[in-house]
C-alpha cells in the first residue's frame, strides 16, 4: 500500500542521509519522490521528531540555525509543509547535529564542526591548532633567547619545539603549562635542533619601531582540555574543515595568510579576526596581553 511504501521510503532516506552531509541535493530528490505520499500518517514523523528532540540538549546555536535553513529549503521546494517533508528536514538536521555533538565530547582529539554543504572552508581551519602540555623544558645550548620544549599532543611521543621566549619564561615556568601549538607546520631546525611546530604567544610593543617586545604571554588553553584536542575557530559563512598537510601549508604559505589576522581582543581572548579560539572547555586566552598580536 501507499502507506507501507511511504514508511519504507522514510526509513531508507533516514539511512541514506546519515551517510551524507550534502543537504540540498537529498532534499530535492526526496521532494520529488515523496510528493505522492505527502499526507502519510503522523506516526513516522513523530518518531523522527522524537529522535531529533533527544539530541537537542547538546546543540549549539549554529546547529539550530542549520535546522532552520533546512526547513525553509524544504518549504520552498514543496510549496507547502507536508509532514513527510518536515520529517525529512528534521532527519537531515539531526545528522548534522549528532555529528557535531560527537565532536564536542570531551577527550576527543578532534573538535570539528560542520556547516551546510557548499560552504567554503575557512582559511584558518586549514591550520591545525592543537592543545598541548609541556612535559619538559630546558634552555637551548647555543642561544640565550631560545627554550627547547617537549610537548605532549596526544601522539605516540612528545614533540620537540624551539621557542624564542627565554627572555620572558624560565624552563620551570613552562614545564606543565597547557599551550596551543601550530601542529601542521613542516619541521625545521632552529639553532641546530629540529623543531616540529610552534607554540602561540600574544605580544605587544610599546614602540612599533622597537626590535623587542615589551610584553609577551604564551597562549593559555583552559583547564580540563586534554592534550591533542583540536582548537576550533568558527568563521561565519565558512566551514571549519580538515587541516592541510604540512607540505601544503608550506608550499601554499597557508599560515602566512592566516598569521596577520591572529590577535587578542580587549578581554584577552585569542581570535582569528573576531572569531575566538575555542575548545570543549572554553576559549584560549592571553589575559595579560589584551589587544595584542598573536604568533
Amino acid at each position: 500500500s501507499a502507506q507501507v511504501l511511504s514508511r519504507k521510503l522514510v526509513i531508507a532516506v533516514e539511512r541514506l542521509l546519515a551517510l551524507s552531509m550534502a543537504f540540498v541535493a537529498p532534499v530535492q530528490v526526496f521532494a520529488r519522490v515523496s510528493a505522492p505520499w505527502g499526507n502519510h500518517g503522523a506516526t513516522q514523523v513523530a518518531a523522527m521528531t522524537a529522535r531529533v528532540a533527544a539530541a537537542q540538549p547538546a546543540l549549539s546555536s549554529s546547529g539550530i540555525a542549520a535546522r532552520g535553513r533546512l526547513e525553509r529549503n524544504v518549504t520552498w521546494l514543496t510549496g507547502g509543509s507536508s509532514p513527510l517533508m518536515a520529517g525529512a528536514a528534521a532527519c537531515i538536521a539531526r545528522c548534522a547535529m549528532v555529528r557535531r555533538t560527537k565532536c564536542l565530547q570531551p577527550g576527543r582529539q578532534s573538535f570539528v564542526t560542520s556547516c551546510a554543504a557548499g560552504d567554503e572552508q575557512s582559511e584558518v581551519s586549514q591550520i591545525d591548532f592543537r592543545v598541548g602540555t609541556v612535559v619538559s623544558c630546558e634552555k637551548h645550548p647555543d642561544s640565550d633567547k631560545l627554550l627547547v620544549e617537549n610537548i605532549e599532543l596526544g601522539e605516540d611521543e612528545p614533540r620537540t619545539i624551539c621557542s624564542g621566549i627565554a627572555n620572558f619564561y624560565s624552563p620551570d615556568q613552562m614545564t606543565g603549562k597547557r599551550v596551543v601549538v601550530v601542529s601542521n607546520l613542516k619541521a625545521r631546525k632552529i639553532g641546530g635542533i629540529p623543531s616540529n611546530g610552534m607554540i602561540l604567544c600574544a605580544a605587544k610593543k610599546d614602540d612599533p619601531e622597537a626590535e623587542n617586545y615589551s610584553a609577551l604571554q604564551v597562549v593559555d588553553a583552559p583547564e580540563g582540555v586534554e592534550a591533542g584536542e583540536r582548537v576550533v575557530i568558527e568563521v561565519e559563512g565558512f566551514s571549519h574543515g580538515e587541516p592541510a598537510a604540512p607540505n601544503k601549508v608550506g608550499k601554499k604559505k597557508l599560515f602566512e595568510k592566516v598569521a596577520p589576522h591572529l590577535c587578542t581582543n580587549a578581554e584577552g581572548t585569542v581570535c582569528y579576526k573576531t572569531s575566538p579560539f575555542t575548545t570543549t572547555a572554553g576559549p584560549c586566552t592571553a589575559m595579560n596581553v589584551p589587544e595584542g598580536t598573536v604568533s
Side-chain angles (χ1 to χ4, degrees), residues 92-138:
I92 299 170
R94 171 179 170 269
C95 295
M97 293 167 183
V98 168
R99 181 181 177 182
R100 177 181 175 84
T101 301
K102 288 181 179 179
C103 293
L104 286 167
Q105 292 174 353
R108 292 179 65 90
Q109 291 189 3
S110 182
F111 171 74
V112 182
T113 59
S114 303
C115 293
D119 283 347
E120 181 182 356
Q121 180 178 355
S122 65
E123 285 187 335
V124 70
S125 71
Q126 297 190 68
I127 308 303
D128 197 6
F129 297 101
R130 299 270 171 176
V131 173
T133 301
V134 180
V135 295
S136 65
C137 182
E138 59 185 17

Side-chain angles (χ1 to χ4, degrees), residues 230-251:
R230 189 179 180 198
V231 177
V232 166
I233 307 98
E234 293 190 346
V235 181
E236 185 176 359
F238 294 86
S239 66
H240 194 281
E242 293 298 320
N247 284 340
K248 182 177 179 181
V249 172
K251 184 176 181 180

